[in-house]
Amino acid sequence: MLLLFGVSSVLCNSLYAQDPVMVAPDIYKKVVLDNDNVRVIQIELAPGQSTPWHSHPNHVAYALTDGKIEITDKGKAPVAMDIKAGDAIFIPAVTHMAKNLGVSPIKMVVTEIKHPGNKKPKTPAVPAPKK
């Protein structure tokens, strides 16, 4: 029984720790840059389309288009938000899934930050102030 619990825990954790480029290549369309410091990815989420569970280190999402997106972080309730082209949002390391609630594709550039100090910051994710 203990062995079964251990195996199912490992399987569940592996489901929640997937590379978005590997689990959703139809959404995470193109890796623009990948080096020791960052990975920059172009994404496009069609209306009604959802990502599978996946993980990111600390990252920044930059919206290229307007849209309405629902984000569900592991262990939390879904949160819907309106995004506008030009919005930039810092997001701490997370395992989550996303769904396009709008009627048009959502296009974004996601920049994952790779470094040993990649820990959750004390400040929440907020859009940059509008100029």
Side-chain angles (χ1 to χ4, degrees):
M1 188 62 120
L2 188 57
L3 178 61
L4 180 60
F5 177 74
V7 169
S8 62
S9 292
V10 168
L11 290 174
C12 287
N13 285 338
S14 69
L15 288 174
Y16 286 114
Q18 300 294 318
D19 184 321
V21 174
M22 301 301 288
V23 299
D26 56 324
I27 296 167
Y28 286 80
K29 303 273 187 190
K30 181 178 179 185
V31 176
V32 179
L33 173 66
D34 192 356
N35 63 30
D36 290 340
N37 299 305
V38 296
R39 180 168 70 163
V40 180
I41 312 160
Q42 290 179 345
I43 71 163
E44 185 173 332
L45 196 58
Q49 188 175 26
S50 295
T51 67
W53 287 103
H54 62 279
S55 297
H56 296 278
N58 291 342
H59 61 291
V60 174
Y62 179 78
L64 300 172
T65 59
D66 296 350
K68 185 172 185 95
I69 193 166
E70 179 181 82
I71 304 291
T72 306
D73 290 352
K74 181 181 170 188
K76 296 184 179 177
V79 175
M81 64 182 85
D82 291 313
I83 56 173
K84 300 287 180 205
D87 284 352
I89 303 167
F90 174 80
I91 305 164
V94 68
T95 297
H96 67 186
M97 59 188 293
K99 181 176 184 177
N100 182 345
L101 299 177
V103 295
S104 59
I106 293 174
K107 295 181 182 183
M108 301 181 91
V109 174
V110 171
T111 302
E112 296 177 331
I113 304 164
K114 301 182 199 176
H115 56 77
N118 210 347
K119 297 181 180 162
K120 287 190 174 187
K122 293 179 181 171
T123 57
V126 295
K130 301 285 184 188
K131 292 184 180 182

